[in-house]
Amino acid sequence: MERISVTPIRACLYFAGVFVLTACGDKTDQGTNKSKGESAEHGEKVELVAIEGIRRPEGFIVEKLHDIPLAPFGSLISLTFNSKGDLLAGSEKGPLSRIRLNDEGKVENMEVVRGVPGQVHGILEAFNSLYLVSNEKEGLVRCRDVNDDGVYDQTELLLPLQGEGEHGPHGIILSADGENLILIAGNHCPTTLETTFSSLPAPGGWIGLLPPDASKIEIIASGLRNAYDVVLNSQGDLFTCDSDAEQDAGLPWYRPPRFLHAVNGADFGWRKGPEKWPKHYADSLPPIAELGPSSPAGLVSGHLTHFPKPYKNAIFVLDWTFGTIHSIHLKPEGAGYNAKSQVFLSGPNMPVTDAAIHPDGSLYFMTGGRGAPSKLYRVRHENPTEPNKESQPGPRLREQRLRLESFHKSNPSDRALRKAWVGLGNPDRWVRHAARVALERQPVDGWRTLFEKETNNRASIHASLALARKAPVHRRAALAKLSNLNFDSLNEEDQLAYLRTLAIASKIKPAPPPELLAIITPQLDAAYPAASDALNMELSRILSRLEPKGFINKT
């Protein structure tokens, strides 16, 4: 979590948004004390009611359970339930705490956990151990309570990690198969030498898969700025919410906080300043929702709650800066998802940090951070339903994506190559992404003939992209493939993929072959200017280097 101060830049963004919403009539009804929480994706509204200053949908009950003193517990930023039904809470600069609940789910007592390090950003109980992402110990720590007396007798630093505070290592959860750990880290936390990448290494924050002893890291996704938490939905798909770079606000490359489907091999394109990848790059993936100015912190999945059905497929995102919990409602679409974002809960002076789901399906959340005193709340529904713990079969394209992603981790094989090649021409972007990453894991010599014989436009472009990314020595072959395509005959999505591939493939020393550029340049010049901003962005980047006659005047 990047718990940002409300600086003048962010305050201007926020109040501009408030002004727009007010001008559009999104006002609190002073007579009924009701307001509308708007869906950022589809413009739908859910009615919110305010009770004691906290807005929430009708039927939900919000209770403050405990005011937590700063001494000795500190300002709390991480939260989870252990196997005994106790809450474990980590402090940014203080100790780990245990909150015991009574049969009614209310606070019975609170104590400092003995035998463990402090300054805990991530907490997970698994494999008869307690895993802590601790700034105090600068890494991932495994603790064991040998005699089950509540005092931990063994503490071991499993994985030293650079970076600390709000841009270092953060959350940790159990993998969908229950056999591994998933760890997320910010952009000041480089990976270690024992790291393997499904795709090519990328700078920035990352999500890694670790065995219980943390002896290695397999990178699931990278190119994040500073995402704080990860969460699995009922299908076992992984999601995170990345933060923005406040200093970029108002600049062309600014990216608002983004809700991401963190598929295997993804590079979400965070780079410093103007080097950030736009979401149309064919070797990246777009967000499935954007939150606007906010500081995303903890995440929890609605499928474990007792909330009504519309919230079962939602992911709850806590925004520290503006004291808001968003519900991101997921709907399967092809091999991935689309989503709509709604304000689920908000209140004044409520810097929410993390949340956890009680075994009874109610949602507990904590406030705190940056030295603020913490408070513990519970959210439940007046008509509880059963938590949805059973995974349902996913769409066919999702299953195809997962099969392709399995080849990201396996040894090269003819079967992997065949499946990947078929996927390159798929209409679904998420399937194509998984196929390209799988292809990059195969030796180039094994698919050179397939590449030369390929005639499908889309498959040719994405095979060329894989070739240009993986093997710079073969970039001339990728350029030659592109030169055989008619740029004007491609749809916009394929044109953007063509231009991204060209940008990489043309990085040849000392210079790209002039005979190939002589074929490509007139086609691009004729297409410029184009009908979309994305195409004009990429065409202008490339044509500014190729310098066809009249380009400056057209620009």
Side-chain angles (χ1 to χ4, degrees):
M1 167 178 54
E2 185 178 12
R3 294 176 302 282
I4 54 171
S5 300
V6 184
T7 62
I9 293 176
R10 190 170 296 273
C12 288
L13 285 171
Y14 175 64
F15 286 114
V18 171
F19 175 80
V20 170
L21 288 174
T22 302
C24 293
D26 186 14
K27 300 178 181 179
T28 299
D29 185 328
Q30 296 180 356
T32 60
N33 204 25
K34 295 181 180 180
S35 62
K36 302 287 186 179
E38 185 169 351
S39 163
E41 293 297 306
H42 300 294
E44 298 176 4
K45 293 178 181 291
V46 58
E47 189 170 83
L48 303 180
V49 295
I51 301 175
E52 296 182 354
I54 299 177
R55 299 193 309 156
R56 84 296 300 271
E58 288 204 65
F60 284 89
I61 301 166
V62 182
E63 306 163 275
K64 185 176 74 171
L65 300 181
H66 199 49
D67 289 295
I68 299 167
L70 284 172
F73 302 111
S75 186
L76 302 178
I77 58 172
S78 55
L79 192 68
T80 196
F81 278 98
N82 66 12
S83 58
K84 296 181 178 179
D86 300 327
L87 277 166
L88 298 177
S91 169
E92 59 185 354
K93 295 182 180 180
L96 182 73
S97 302
R98 181 188 294 114
I99 303 173
R100 299 190 191 278
L101 305 177
N102 59 25
D103 292 342
E104 296 178 351
K106 298 183 178 181
V107 175
E108 187 172 272
N109 62 62
M110 183 171 181
E111 62 185 2
V112 171
V113 179
R114 292 183 289 166
V116 301
Q119 300 179 30
V120 173
H121 278 239
I123 315 168
L124 173 67
E125 187 180 79
F127 310 115
N128 298 314
S129 303
L130 180 65
Y131 292 89
L132 303 175
V133 181
S134 167
N135 278 344
E136 181 182 319
K137 291 295 184 180
E138 298 183 343
L140 177 62
V141 178
R142 179 170 62 186
C143 308
R144 286 178 170 149
D145 180 2
V146 177
N147 55 10
D148 197 30
D149 63 353
V151 178
Y152 288 84
D153 315 281
Q154 299 176 0
T155 300
E156 176 185 9
L157 179 62
L158 289 182
L159 181 66
L161 292 168
Q162 298 180 39
E164 61 179 31
E166 296 174 3
H167 289 257
H170 296 311
I172 184 169
I173 64 172
L174 194 64
S175 63
D177 60 12
E179 297 180 359
N180 294 282
L181 313 171
I182 297 176
L183 176 70
I184 189 165
N187 57 312
H188 289 180
C189 183
T191 53
T192 65
L193 295 178
E194 296 80 20
T195 303
T196 59
F197 287 79
S198 295
S199 189
L200 304 181
W206 48 269
I207 303 171
L209 185 73
L210 295 74
D213 64 357
S215 56
K216 62 180 180 179
I217 305 176
E218 295 179 8
I219 296 299
I220 297 172
S222 58
L224 300 166
R225 182 180 182 258
N226 188 33
Y228 182 78
D229 206 359
V230 283
V231 67
L232 295 162
N233 70 350
S234 62
Q235 297 294 313
D237 284 321
L238 189 67
F239 299 88
T240 189
C241 199
D242 203 9
S243 66
D244 63 351
E246 182 187 355
Q247 64 271 21
D248 291 342
L251 297 173
W253 51 85
Y254 172 76
R255 303 199 308 189
R258 314 188 313 153
F259 186 77
L260 304 168
H261 182 192
V263 298
N264 200 71
D267 177 352
F268 290 107
W270 179 85
R271 306 293 189 268
K272 289 186 177 180
E275 298 302 315
K276 292 180 182 65
W277 291 8
K279 59 187 176 184
H280 58 253
Y281 271 10
D283 46 348
S284 188
L285 287 168
I288 59 175
E290 294 183 348
L291 296 186
S294 56
S295 296
L299 308 176
V300 290
S301 176
H303 77 282
L304 296 175
T305 69
H306 68 219
F307 295 172
K309 185 177 180 179
Y311 295 94
K312 296 293 188 184
N313 294 323
I315 302 295
F316 295 93
V317 179
L318 281 68
D319 168 18
W320 181 83
T321 295
F322 298 121
T324 300
I325 299 178
H326 300 269
S327 56
I328 310 292
H329 296 262
L330 301 174
K331 182 179 180 180
E333 183 176 83
Y337 295 84
N338 66 29
K340 62 179 181 180
S341 174
Q342 296 177 345
V343 173
F344 172 70
L345 185 149
S346 66
N349 302 316
M350 199 171 70
V352 290
T353 54
D354 205 1
I357 307 299
H358 189 278
D360 71 3
S362 55
L363 185 151
Y364 285 67
F365 71 89
M366 188 75 72
T367 68
R370 292 250 174 120
S374 293
K375 298 176 182 180
L376 177 66
Y377 292 83
R378 176 174 64 176
V379 183
R380 53 194 177 91
H381 197 268
E382 59 188 20
N383 297 310
T385 62
E386 287 296 319
N388 179 18
K389 298 184 179 181
E390 297 295 326
S391 177
Q392 302 298 319
R396 178 185 58 81
L397 285 173
R398 176 182 178 273
E399 298 306 314
Q400 183 180 359
R401 171 178 63 79
L402 293 175
R403 284 195 298 272
L404 288 167
E405 288 177 3
S406 71
F407 300 132
H408 298 178
K409 304 176 185 179
S410 62
N411 293 325
S413 67
D414 290 340
R415 181 171 181 268
L417 179 55
R418 289 195 306 271
K419 295 291 186 181
W421 203 267
V422 170
L424 292 176
N426 196 288
D428 187 279
R429 181 172 180 175
W430 301 80
V431 171
R432 291 198 305 272
H433 176 274
R436 177 190 52 77
V437 175
L439 184 62
E440 290 178 3
R441 299 284 287 174
Q442 311 301 312
V444 173
D445 289 343
W447 47 279
R448 188 193 306 271
T449 301
L450 284 173
F451 178 77
E452 292 171 351
K453 293 182 177 180
E454 183 59 63
T455 58
N456 176 272
N457 286 344
R458 179 169 286 164
S460 295
I461 292 169
H462 288 273
S464 299
L465 178 59
L467 188 66
R469 281 169 49 90
K470 177 180 172 65
V473 69
H474 296 301
R475 285 178 177 169
R476 190 188 190 285
L479 271 180
K481 195 72 169 179
L482 294 180
S483 71
N484 290 329
L485 303 180
N486 181 349
F487 184 80
D488 186 58
S489 69
L490 305 174
N491 64 28
E492 181 174 341
E493 186 175 31
D494 290 338
Q495 286 180 333
L496 287 169
Y498 178 109
L499 294 170
R500 172 59 174 163
T501 304
L502 176 60
I504 298 173
S506 60
K507 294 179 180 178
I508 300 175
K509 293 181 179 180
E515 67 273 17
L516 297 179
L517 295 184
I519 299 171
I520 293 172
T521 302
Q523 296 189 62
L524 304 188
D525 188 34
Y528 181 75
S532 76
D533 290 342
L535 278 174
N536 283 327
M537 177 191 299
E538 300 309 321
L539 284 167
S540 63
R541 283 177 175 174
I542 291 172
L543 290 173
S544 65
R545 298 201 302 269
L546 300 176
E547 298 182 333
K549 185 178 179 180
F551 164 70
I552 297 298
N553 291 335
K554 286 200 291 186
T555 301

